[in-house]
Amino acid sequence: MEVIIKPTAGDASLIAAKLIARQIRHKPTSVLGLATGNTPLDTYRHLVKMHQGEGLDFSRVTTFNLDEYVGLAPDHPASYHSFMWEYLFKHVNIKPLQVNIPNGLAKNIPEHCREYEDKIRACGGIDIQLLGIGGDGHIGFNEPCSSLSSRTRIKTLTRRTIQDNSTFFDSAEQVPLHVLTMGIGTIMDSRSCVLLAFGTRKAEIVAKMVEGPISAMVPASALQWHEKTTVLIDEEASGKLTRKDYYQWVYQNKPAWQTAEIES
Ligand code: GLP
C-alpha cells in the first residue's frame, strides 16, 4: 500500500486522474473499475477535461462499475447508472456497449452477478480500480463482515450507509436496502487500485484501513494484501495516521522516475 498525502482533495484528485489517463494511454483497450460517491467527482471532472483538451481517448476503453442499488431503474436520478453518465460517460467518447454497471433490476440476481464476474474475466480483468471508502470502511458496497474473498453478489446496507447515502435521495426511507456489489475478492483481482479519501470525517477509517489489522470488520483493510494499491488522501484525511511522517518522507524521496510515473 502506498500512501500519498496531498494538501487538498483537488490535488489528490488530479493525481488519480493522471494515473487513470496514463493507464489509458499506455493501453488504449484498458479495463477501468469505477466508483461512485462524492469522492471521485473531481477525478471524473479532470478526466473529462483531459478528453476535451488533450484528446484522451476512451473509444477502446471498457468500464466496470463497483455497484448499484437493487430495484432502481437505470434512469432513476439516484441510480449509479445515472451518476456515471451524468459525471463521466456522456462527456467522453466511450462506447455505451463497453460500459458495464450491475443491473439493479436483474430478474435473476445470482445469475446476473455470475455473468458480471464472467464478463470482467472475459475482458481480461480490471487494469485499474478506482475506489472510495465508506465511513465504516466499506469498499464498493462491501459492508463490515463481508468475506474478504467475496465475489459480485447482493448485500444489505447498514443503517449508517443508508443514512450517509441518503443525500443522493429525497430521504433516507428512499434509499434501497439491497445493493449489488463487486466482492472484495473481485476488487483484489484488479491489477492496481487507487483509493481516494478526503476530509476529517474519513481520517479515522483511513487510519484503520492503512495501519490497523486486516479484518472483515474494515473491508478496505483487505487492500493491505493487494499488490499495487495507491491510497490518495488530503491533509484532513491523514490526521489519524501514526506513520504520516514516514509516508511523506517516502514520497519526497522517491527516485525521479517513480514520481514521474505518478505525477506526469
Ligand atoms: C457509497 C459507494 C462507495 C463509496 C462510498 C463513499 O457507499 N458505494 O463506492 O466509496 O459511498 O461515498 P463518498 O465518496 O460520498 O464519501
Side-chain angles (χ1 to χ4, degrees):
M1 224 180 217
E2 169 161 43
V3 181
I4 300 177
I5 304 165
K6 286 282 154 182
T8 68
D11 302 326
S13 301
L14 181 57
I15 292 189
K18 283 182 176 173
L19 287 172
I20 294 169
R22 190 181 173 88
Q23 170 65 44
I24 297 173
R25 288 192 183 109
H26 167 73
K27 180 183 167 193
T29 57
S30 285
V31 179
L32 310 181
L34 299 176
T36 52
N38 291 304
T39 309
L41 282 174
D42 255 350
T43 300
Y44 294 149
R45 271 185 215 115
H46 284 300
L47 286 173
V48 170
K49 264 196 223 150
M50 288 173 186
H51 168 69
Q52 290 167 349
E54 301 161 24
L56 182 64
D57 182 12
F58 286 79
S59 66
R60 296 170 71 200
V61 164
T62 300
T63 64
F64 286 90
N65 260 78
L66 284 166
D67 44 17
E68 180 58 288
Y69 293 104
V70 169
L72 290 198
D75 62 354
H76 186 287
S79 77
Y80 286 167
H81 278 76
S82 296
F83 178 101
M84 290 308 304
W85 282 96
E86 176 65 23
Y87 294 110
L88 181 63
F89 298 148
K90 79 173 182 195
H91 307 286
V92 298
N93 63 334
I94 194 152
K95 298 211 172 84
L97 282 175
Q98 282 160 214
V99 166
N100 298 279
I101 305 176
N103 178 4
L105 295 182
K107 289 254 167 359
N108 184 334
I109 288 180
E111 188 178 278
H112 175 64
C113 293
R114 265 192 308 275
E115 283 170 5
Y116 203 70
E117 289 278 331
D118 289 348
K119 197 157 182 201
I120 295 173
R121 261 190 296 273
C123 291
I126 293 170
D127 291 300
I128 187 165
Q129 174 68 58
L130 187 63
L131 295 163
I133 182 170
D136 59 4
H138 70 249
I139 44 175
F141 267 133
N142 293 283
E143 297 282 33
C145 288
S146 290
S147 157
L148 297 185
S149 56
S150 48
R151 312 303 306 192
T152 304
R153 69 213 182 291
I154 189 167
K155 287 292 288 177
T156 305
L157 295 182
T158 60
R159 287 199 174 91
R160 175 175 181 177
T161 301
I162 289 174
Q163 201 54 49
D164 288 350
N165 289 7
S166 64
T167 52
F168 290 97
F169 294 80
D170 291 336
S171 69
E173 288 68 49
Q174 290 180 16
V175 181
L177 192 57
H178 296 118
V179 290
L180 302 182
T181 180
M182 278 187 203
I184 299 176
T186 322
I187 294 167
M188 293 293 283
D189 284 350
S190 310
R191 282 184 271 282
S192 62
C193 292
V194 175
L195 185 142
L196 302 172
F198 307 136
T200 49
R201 78 187 179 94
K202 296 284 171 80
E204 197 169 328
I205 200 64
V206 163
K208 283 187 180 159
M209 163 183 69
V210 175
E211 296 178 339
I214 295 180
S215 161
M217 289 304 286
V218 181
S221 66
L223 295 168
Q224 290 179 28
W225 201 258
H226 189 272
E227 195 183 350
K228 196 166 185 278
T229 287
T230 306
V231 174
L232 269 167
I233 56 177
D234 63 359
E235 267 296 326
E236 291 185 349
S238 73
K240 298 253 158 90
L241 289 166
T242 59
R243 305 297 300 272
K244 180 174 168 180
D245 286 354
Y246 177 63
Y247 311 136
Q248 288 176 318
W249 165 259
V250 169
Y251 198 70
Q252 283 154 10
N253 291 292
K254 267 185 184 299
W257 61 270
Q258 272 193 336
T259 309
E261 279 180 1
I262 298 168
E263 302 237 358
S264 64

PDB file of all heavy atoms in Angstrom, residues 36-39 66-67 80 132-133 138 140-141 161 165 201-202, ligand 1:
ATOM      1  N   THR A  36     -18.538   5.357  -7.450  1.00  0.00           N
ATOM      2  CA  THR A  36     -19.450   6.497  -7.349  1.00  0.00           C
ATOM      3  C   THR A  36     -19.243   7.183  -5.992  1.00  0.00           C
ATOM      4  O   THR A  36     -18.285   6.911  -5.298  1.00  0.00           O
ATOM      5  CB  THR A  36     -20.909   6.024  -7.495  1.00  0.00           C
ATOM      6  OG1 THR A  36     -21.093   4.968  -6.549  1.00  0.00           O
ATOM      7  CG2 THR A  36     -21.191   5.527  -8.897  1.00  0.00           C
ATOM      8  N   GLY A  37     -20.144   8.072  -5.627  1.00  0.00           N
ATOM      9  CA  GLY A  37     -19.995   8.829  -4.372  1.00  0.00           C
ATOM     10  C   GLY A  37     -19.446  10.213  -4.667  1.00  0.00           C
ATOM     11  O   GLY A  37     -19.106  10.534  -5.819  1.00  0.00           O
ATOM     12  N   ASN A  38     -19.355  11.039  -3.630  1.00  0.00           N
ATOM     13  CA  ASN A  38     -18.847  12.403  -3.824  1.00  0.00           C
ATOM     14  C   ASN A  38     -17.343  12.414  -4.116  1.00  0.00           C
ATOM     15  O   ASN A  38     -16.842  13.272  -4.839  1.00  0.00           O
ATOM     16  CB  ASN A  38     -19.106  13.233  -2.563  1.00  0.00           C
ATOM     17  CG  ASN A  38     -20.589  13.480  -2.379  1.00  0.00           C
ATOM     18  OD1 ASN A  38     -21.249  14.012  -3.263  1.00  0.00           O
ATOM     19  ND2 ASN A  38     -21.134  13.067  -1.236  1.00  0.00           N
ATOM     20  N   THR A  39     -16.654  11.448  -3.536  1.00  0.00           N
ATOM     21  CA  THR A  39     -15.189  11.478  -3.576  1.00  0.00           C
ATOM     22  C   THR A  39     -14.590  11.483  -4.984  1.00  0.00           C
ATOM     23  O   THR A  39     -13.684  12.278  -5.246  1.00  0.00           O
ATOM     24  CB  THR A  39     -14.631  10.321  -2.736  1.00  0.00           C
ATOM     25  OG1 THR A  39     -15.269  10.363  -1.448  1.00  0.00           O
ATOM     26  CG2 THR A  39     -13.135  10.424  -2.557  1.00  0.00           C
ATOM     27  N   LEU A  66     -18.442  -0.593  -9.690  1.00  0.00           N
ATOM     28  CA  LEU A  66     -18.415  -1.436  -8.493  1.00  0.00           C
ATOM     29  C   LEU A  66     -19.793  -1.961  -8.092  1.00  0.00           C
ATOM     30  O   LEU A  66     -19.921  -3.096  -7.650  1.00  0.00           O
ATOM     31  CB  LEU A  66     -17.906  -0.610  -7.299  1.00  0.00           C
ATOM     32  CG  LEU A  66     -16.416  -0.328  -7.220  1.00  0.00           C
ATOM     33  CD1 LEU A  66     -16.159   0.773  -6.200  1.00  0.00           C
ATOM     34  CD2 LEU A  66     -15.668  -1.599  -6.816  1.00  0.00           C
ATOM     35  N   ASP A  67     -20.828  -1.087  -8.220  1.00  0.00           N
ATOM     36  CA  ASP A  67     -22.063  -1.448  -7.513  1.00  0.00           C
ATOM     37  C   ASP A  67     -23.284  -0.709  -8.058  1.00  0.00           C
ATOM     38  O   ASP A  67     -23.158   0.222  -8.867  1.00  0.00           O
ATOM     39  CB  ASP A  67     -21.899  -1.188  -5.998  1.00  0.00           C
ATOM     40  CG  ASP A  67     -21.235   0.151  -5.687  1.00  0.00           C
ATOM     41  OD1 ASP A  67     -21.195   1.019  -6.585  1.00  0.00           O
ATOM     42  OD2 ASP A  67     -20.767   0.342  -4.562  1.00  0.00           O
ATOM     43  N   TYR A  80     -26.720   4.486  -9.853  1.00  0.00           N
ATOM     44  CA  TYR A  80     -25.315   4.683 -10.210  1.00  0.00           C
ATOM     45  C   TYR A  80     -25.136   4.740 -11.725  1.00  0.00           C
ATOM     46  O   TYR A  80     -24.148   5.287 -12.214  1.00  0.00           O
ATOM     47  CB  TYR A  80     -24.444   3.621  -9.544  1.00  0.00           C
ATOM     48  CG  TYR A  80     -24.267   3.868  -8.045  1.00  0.00           C
ATOM     49  CD1 TYR A  80     -23.738   2.892  -7.217  1.00  0.00           C
ATOM     50  CD2 TYR A  80     -24.619   5.084  -7.467  1.00  0.00           C
ATOM     51  CE1 TYR A  80     -23.560   3.121  -5.860  1.00  0.00           C
ATOM     52  CE2 TYR A  80     -24.446   5.326  -6.113  1.00  0.00           C
ATOM     53  CZ  TYR A  80     -23.917   4.338  -5.306  1.00  0.00           C
ATOM     54  OH  TYR A  80     -23.731   4.561  -3.962  1.00  0.00           O
ATOM     55  N   GLY A 132     -13.563   4.605  -3.465  1.00  0.00           N
ATOM     56  CA  GLY A 132     -13.716   5.497  -2.322  1.00  0.00           C
ATOM     57  C   GLY A 132     -13.759   4.610  -1.096  1.00  0.00           C
ATOM     58  O   GLY A 132     -13.533   3.397  -1.187  1.00  0.00           O
ATOM     59  N   ILE A 133     -14.084   5.186   0.032  1.00  0.00           N
ATOM     60  CA  ILE A 133     -14.242   4.366   1.235  1.00  0.00           C
ATOM     61  C   ILE A 133     -15.418   4.912   2.051  1.00  0.00           C
ATOM     62  O   ILE A 133     -15.554   6.134   2.217  1.00  0.00           O
ATOM     63  CB  ILE A 133     -12.928   4.328   2.075  1.00  0.00           C
ATOM     64  CG1 ILE A 133     -13.090   3.414   3.304  1.00  0.00           C
ATOM     65  CG2 ILE A 133     -12.464   5.721   2.469  1.00  0.00           C
ATOM     66  CD1 ILE A 133     -11.777   3.144   4.038  1.00  0.00           C
ATOM     67  N   HIS A 138     -16.334   0.402   4.234  1.00  0.00           N
ATOM     68  CA  HIS A 138     -16.742  -0.399   3.071  1.00  0.00           C
ATOM     69  C   HIS A 138     -16.097   0.107   1.788  1.00  0.00           C
ATOM     70  O   HIS A 138     -15.822   1.294   1.639  1.00  0.00           O
ATOM     71  CB  HIS A 138     -18.270  -0.491   2.947  1.00  0.00           C
ATOM     72  CG  HIS A 138     -18.996   0.755   2.558  1.00  0.00           C
ATOM     73  ND1 HIS A 138     -19.828   1.450   3.399  1.00  0.00           N
ATOM     74  CD2 HIS A 138     -19.051   1.430   1.371  1.00  0.00           C
ATOM     75  CE1 HIS A 138     -20.364   2.473   2.761  1.00  0.00           C
ATOM     76  NE2 HIS A 138     -19.901   2.488   1.528  1.00  0.00           N
ATOM     77  N   GLY A 140     -16.771  -0.460  -2.499  1.00  0.00           N
ATOM     78  CA  GLY A 140     -17.970  -0.867  -3.222  1.00  0.00           C
ATOM     79  C   GLY A 140     -19.101  -0.751  -2.215  1.00  0.00           C
ATOM     80  O   GLY A 140     -19.233   0.262  -1.523  1.00  0.00           O
ATOM     81  N   PHE A 141     -19.878  -1.811  -2.089  1.00  0.00           N
ATOM     82  CA  PHE A 141     -20.872  -1.850  -1.011  1.00  0.00           C
ATOM     83  C   PHE A 141     -20.578  -3.050  -0.109  1.00  0.00           C
ATOM     84  O   PHE A 141     -21.500  -3.665   0.433  1.00  0.00           O
ATOM     85  CB  PHE A 141     -22.286  -1.934  -1.575  1.00  0.00           C
ATOM     86  CG  PHE A 141     -22.960  -0.597  -1.764  1.00  0.00           C
ATOM     87  CD1 PHE A 141     -23.628  -0.296  -2.944  1.00  0.00           C
ATOM     88  CD2 PHE A 141     -22.960   0.363  -0.749  1.00  0.00           C
ATOM     89  CE1 PHE A 141     -24.273   0.935  -3.121  1.00  0.00           C
ATOM     90  CE2 PHE A 141     -23.600   1.588  -0.920  1.00  0.00           C
ATOM     91  CZ  PHE A 141     -24.258   1.870  -2.104  1.00  0.00           C
ATOM     92  N   THR A 161     -24.785   3.363   6.376  1.00  0.00           N
ATOM     93  CA  THR A 161     -24.583   3.648   4.950  1.00  0.00           C
ATOM     94  C   THR A 161     -25.861   4.226   4.340  1.00  0.00           C
ATOM     95  O   THR A 161     -25.795   5.141   3.508  1.00  0.00           O
ATOM     96  CB  THR A 161     -24.126   2.375   4.201  1.00  0.00           C
ATOM     97  OG1 THR A 161     -22.906   1.922   4.805  1.00  0.00           O
ATOM     98  CG2 THR A 161     -23.895   2.631   2.727  1.00  0.00           C
ATOM     99  N   ASN A 165     -25.735   7.770   2.539  1.00  0.00           N
ATOM    100  CA  ASN A 165     -26.056   7.890   1.111  1.00  0.00           C
ATOM    101  C   ASN A 165     -27.396   8.561   0.849  1.00  0.00           C
ATOM    102  O   ASN A 165     -27.770   8.774  -0.298  1.00  0.00           O
ATOM    103  CB  ASN A 165     -26.018   6.499   0.444  1.00  0.00           C
ATOM    104  CG  ASN A 165     -24.590   5.978   0.342  1.00  0.00           C
ATOM    105  OD1 ASN A 165     -23.665   6.581   0.877  1.00  0.00           O
ATOM    106  ND2 ASN A 165     -24.408   4.864  -0.322  1.00  0.00           N
ATOM    107  N   ARG A 201     -13.773  13.614   8.255  1.00  0.00           N
ATOM    108  CA  ARG A 201     -14.695  12.529   8.602  1.00  0.00           C
ATOM    109  C   ARG A 201     -14.201  11.172   8.105  1.00  0.00           C
ATOM    110  O   ARG A 201     -14.712  10.128   8.530  1.00  0.00           O
ATOM    111  CB  ARG A 201     -16.129  12.842   8.133  1.00  0.00           C
ATOM    112  CG  ARG A 201     -16.410  12.646   6.708  1.00  0.00           C
ATOM    113  CD  ARG A 201     -17.782  13.115   6.263  1.00  0.00           C
ATOM    114  NE  ARG A 201     -17.914  12.876   4.850  1.00  0.00           N
ATOM    115  CZ  ARG A 201     -18.452  11.792   4.327  1.00  0.00           C
ATOM    116  NH1 ARG A 201     -18.956  10.857   5.087  1.00  0.00           N
ATOM    117  NH2 ARG A 201     -18.505  11.622   3.008  1.00  0.00           N
ATOM    118  N   LYS A 202     -13.188  11.184   7.247  1.00  0.00           N
ATOM    119  CA  LYS A 202     -12.624   9.908   6.779  1.00  0.00           C
ATOM    120  C   LYS A 202     -11.315   9.565   7.515  1.00  0.00           C
ATOM    121  O   LYS A 202     -10.738   8.497   7.289  1.00  0.00           O
ATOM    122  CB  LYS A 202     -12.371   9.956   5.264  1.00  0.00           C
ATOM    123  CG  LYS A 202     -13.625  10.103   4.405  1.00  0.00           C
ATOM    124  CD  LYS A 202     -14.416   8.808   4.303  1.00  0.00           C
ATOM    125  CE  LYS A 202     -15.776   8.977   3.637  1.00  0.00           C
ATOM    126  NZ  LYS A 202     -15.731   9.032   2.191  1.00  0.00           N
TER     127      LYS A 202
HETATM  128  C1  GLP B   1     -21.058   4.530  -1.491  1.00  0.00           C
HETATM  129  C2  GLP B   1     -20.380   3.799  -2.629  1.00  0.00           C
HETATM  130  C3  GLP B   1     -18.902   3.607  -2.342  1.00  0.00           C
HETATM  131  C4  GLP B   1     -18.292   4.932  -1.913  1.00  0.00           C
HETATM  132  C5  GLP B   1     -18.950   5.403  -0.635  1.00  0.00           C
HETATM  133  C6  GLP B   1     -18.346   6.677  -0.082  1.00  0.00           C
HETATM  134  O1  GLP B   1     -21.441   3.693  -0.467  1.00  0.00           O
HETATM  135  N1  GLP B   1     -20.969   2.536  -2.890  1.00  0.00           N
HETATM  136  O2  GLP B   1     -18.262   3.102  -3.521  1.00  0.00           O
HETATM  137  O3  GLP B   1     -16.919   4.773  -1.738  1.00  0.00           O
HETATM  138  O4  GLP B   1     -20.318   5.607  -0.938  1.00  0.00           O
HETATM  139  O5  GLP B   1     -19.033   7.793  -0.568  1.00  0.00           O
HETATM  140  P1  GLP B   1     -18.472   9.285  -0.561  1.00  0.00           P
HETATM  141  O6  GLP B   1     -17.408   9.311  -1.577  1.00  0.00           O
HETATM  142  O7  GLP B   1     -19.653  10.117  -0.953  1.00  0.00           O
HETATM  143  O8  GLP B   1     -17.974   9.545   0.816  1.00  0.00           O
END
